[in-house]
């Protein structure tokens, strides 16, 4: 069934758009990512019109767009604290959070699933429309499988005759769809990457999974070095003098220490336990992991000589710092 589709400037037509939404009609609205094809998220008949207009498969769930966090309680339940921390930083913004769905949200929105995507667009027209009507279930305002629209004209090309009103808010500022982050899994998981990156999310939540890879944030200085660590206490030493004095302290405490260092220091190390790394930076690099493997089997405390040059010395120090958890004496 076709109808006349009007394009109106968003700054004059919000009230008209809100009235259409309240009557169970569709409205296209601008967001910072791409244009959305919205319907009252609590009205299953209105939501059904979205799928029809787009030719969208029924098994693909829709995002619910909100204008204020006050609206969240009618949309989602069992909301984790992490959501509110993320919301403080990224909402409004190009982030969609997947949460456990409220019973008030019809199955048509979530494709029968028990989770719901929620996002607060960073666009004043979108938020004003929502505030004056309802939270809006909305996919991108393109025909299914076509490119997402970033101008009102793009929308018109795809959906003329399918929707009564397109609110023109100019060009979308971000231009790709929101980051979709699942907060119902043990580790927050990026289902669709977007302008809010894993690194940005890590500032707020401790770990994020992306493409099957878990990225963790440093909880305290040095925590980011804990990969590749031996199973016994390990430090690095800024100088051989410092290595020797750390050794003697540990020895006095009965900690069974060892120094891992280049052969040039054999004299200074004297009768203390030493695992030699050879002479050059290349020797050091080739031998370091083997030395750590050996040391953790035989000793209770590992002290590694640091190198302070560039190039290869710097690269191998990256691994030594990780082994030592950032602890340097
Ligand atoms: O930036 C955006 O997110 C735009 C604007 C309009 O907000 N919307 C958008 O909607 O891109 P859509 O429907 O084109 O894409 C939504 C994506 C789909 O891949 C969908 O499967 C996923 O989000 N999605 C929605 N609800 C979900 C849920 N409960 N669980 C997992 N994925 C969900
Ligand atoms: Mg889409």
């Amino acid at each position: 069934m076709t109808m006349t589709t009007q394009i109106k400037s968003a700054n004059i037509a919000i009230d008209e758009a809100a009235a259409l939404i309240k009557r169970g009609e569709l409205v296209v609205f601008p967001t910072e990512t791409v244009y959305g094809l919205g319907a009252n998220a609590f009205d299953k008949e209105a939501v059904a019109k979205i799928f029809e207009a787009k030719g969208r498969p029924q098994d693909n769930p829709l995002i619910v767009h909100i204008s204020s966090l006050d609206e969240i309680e009618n949309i989602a339940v069992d909301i984790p604290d992490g959501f509110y921390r993320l919301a403080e930083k990224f909402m409004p913004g190009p982030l969609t959070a997947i949460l456990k769905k409220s019973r008030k949200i019809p199955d048509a929105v979530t494709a029968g699933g028990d989770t719901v995507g929620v996002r607060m667009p960073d666009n004043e027209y979108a938020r004003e429309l929502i505030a004056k009507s309802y939270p809006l279930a909305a996919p991108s305002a393109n025909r299914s499988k076509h490119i997402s629209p970033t101008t009102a004209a793009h929308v018109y090309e795809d959906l003329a005759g399918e929707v009564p009103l397109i609110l023109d808010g100019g060009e979308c500022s971000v231009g790709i769809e929101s980051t979709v982050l699942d907060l119902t899994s043990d580790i927050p998981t990026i289902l669709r990457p977007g302008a809010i990156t894993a690194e940005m999310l890590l500032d707020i939540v401790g770990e994020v999974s992306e493409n099957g890879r878990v990225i963790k944030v440093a909880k305290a200085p040095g925590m980011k070095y804990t990969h590749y660590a031996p199973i016994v206490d390990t430090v690095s030493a800024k100088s051989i003098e410092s290595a020797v004095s750390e050794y003697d302290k540990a020895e006095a405490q009965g900690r069974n220490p060892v120094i891992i260092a280049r052969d040039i220091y054999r004299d200074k190390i004297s009768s203390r336990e030493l695992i030699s790394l050879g002479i050059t930076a290349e020797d050091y690099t080739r031998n370091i992991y083997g030395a750590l493997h050996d040391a953790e089997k035989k000793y209770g405390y590992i002290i590694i000589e640091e190198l302070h040059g560039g190039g290869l010395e710097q690269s191998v120090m990256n691994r030594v710092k990780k082994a030592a958890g950032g602890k340097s004496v």
Side-chain angles (χ1 to χ4, degrees), residues 148-160:
S148 290
T150 55
T151 65
H154 296 159
V155 178
Y156 192 83
E157 286 162 24
D158 262 22
L159 297 180

Side-chain angles (χ1 to χ4, degrees), residues 178-249:
S178 60
T179 302
V180 177
L181 182 70
D182 186 356
L183 292 177
T184 67
S185 47
D186 283 347
I187 297 172
T189 300
I190 294 178
L191 303 180
R192 179 176 71 182
I196 308 285
T197 63
E199 285 67 31
M200 293 160 75
L201 295 167
L202 280 174
D203 283 345
I204 314 294
V205 291
E207 45 187 5
V208 171
S209 175
E210 184 172 26
N211 299 323
R213 202 166 56 98
V214 177
I215 313 160
K216 296 193 188 209
V217 75
K219 289 211 173 66
M223 275 288 286
K224 61 175 176 283
Y225 298 119
T226 49
H227 315 275
Y228 315 118
I231 56 176
V232 300
D233 276 357
T234 303
V235 296
S236 62
K238 293 183 185 70
S239 67
I240 205 66
E241 290 72 26
S242 143
V244 164
S245 90
E246 185 71 9
Y247 181 103
D248 292 346
K249 243 189 329 188

Side-chain angles (χ1 to χ4, degrees), residues 77-130:
V77 295
D78 300 342
I79 301 167
D81 284 349
F83 169 81
Y84 291 101
R85 293 201 305 274
L86 288 165
E88 201 171 313
K89 178 110 187 215
F90 299 118
M91 293 188 184
L95 177 68
T96 295
I98 306 295
L99 299 168
K100 260 182 83 179
K101 133 192 201 314
S102 152
R103 288 204 318 242
K104 293 179 186 160
I105 293 293
D107 283 344
V109 171
T110 62
D114 56 8
T115 63
V116 61
V118 182
R119 122 170 172 81
M120 190 191 298
D122 189 10
N123 180 294
E124 284 178 39
Y125 302 125
R127 290 205 307 279
E128 192 185 336
L129 169 60
I130 294 162

Side-chain angles (χ1 to χ4, degrees), residues 19-49:
L20 283 165
I21 293 295
K22 287 191 207 162
R23 270 193 270 141
E25 298 298 329
L26 304 181
V27 169
V28 172
F29 60 98
T31 84
E32 80 281 32
T33 59
V34 300
Y35 276 75
L37 174 62
N40 175 359
F42 301 112
D43 177 346
K44 68 173 194 282
E45 271 131 46
V47 169
K49 293 180 182 171

